[in-house]
Amino acid sequence: IKTSIDCYLTDDLIKEGIVRDMVRKVQNLRKESDFQVTDRIDVLINCDNEVYESINDYIDYFKNETLCININRSKVIDFDCSISFKIKSENIELGIKKL
């Protein structure tokens, strides 16, 4: 029996991976900030177009997983709970605020 594996990453798979990374970052920040599991949040993000478009393409998943009500793009992250990190060598700043 012969099998083959297609290791090609489509644009959709790449975008989904980016969004999953973003969800993980938000969840970790929620935990580090002692938010309750049921707390609704607003998210501010400073990122490149690819990351923002990826989130928009999977917005329902992102909001459902993070309990995010609003997500906005901003050059200044002025929320008390914030982190900086890299995705695909791009600098990302992310802030969350409890509602």
Side-chain angles (χ1 to χ4, degrees):
I1 297 174
K2 290 186 177 184
T3 60
S4 65
I5 297 174
D6 184 2
C7 296
Y8 178 72
L9 293 176
T10 64
D11 286 341
D12 283 341
L13 284 174
I14 292 168
K15 287 180 177 185
E16 183 180 348
I18 289 171
V19 173
R20 288 181 183 273
D21 281 347
M22 295 299 299
V23 167
R24 190 179 79 253
K25 294 291 187 183
V26 171
Q27 297 295 35
N28 287 340
L29 185 55
R30 286 175 64 98
K31 185 176 179 181
E32 292 167 8
S33 303
D34 292 324
F35 285 17
Q36 298 299 312
V37 175
T38 57
D39 288 338
R40 304 285 180 185
I41 63 170
D42 276 350
V43 173
L44 273 182
I45 187 167
N46 181 2
C47 61
D48 67 359
N49 287 336
E50 182 181 16
V51 171
Y52 197 70
E53 288 171 8
S54 297
I55 292 170
N56 279 325
D57 286 351
Y58 289 88
I59 194 70
D60 291 336
Y61 170 77
F62 181 84
K63 285 184 170 184
N64 188 49
E65 292 296 312
T66 61
L67 297 182
C68 170
I69 301 301
N70 301 299
I71 180 166
N72 293 297
R73 201 168 179 189
S74 176
K75 292 286 183 193
V76 177
I77 307 302
D78 57 358
F79 290 170
D80 290 338
C81 305
S82 62
I83 55 171
S84 297
F85 55 94
K86 288 186 183 245
I87 290 183
K88 293 180 63 177
S89 73
E90 294 294 329
N91 293 323
I92 311 289
E93 291 178 90
L94 175 85
I96 62 174
K97 176 176 74 172
K98 194 182 322 182
L99 297 178

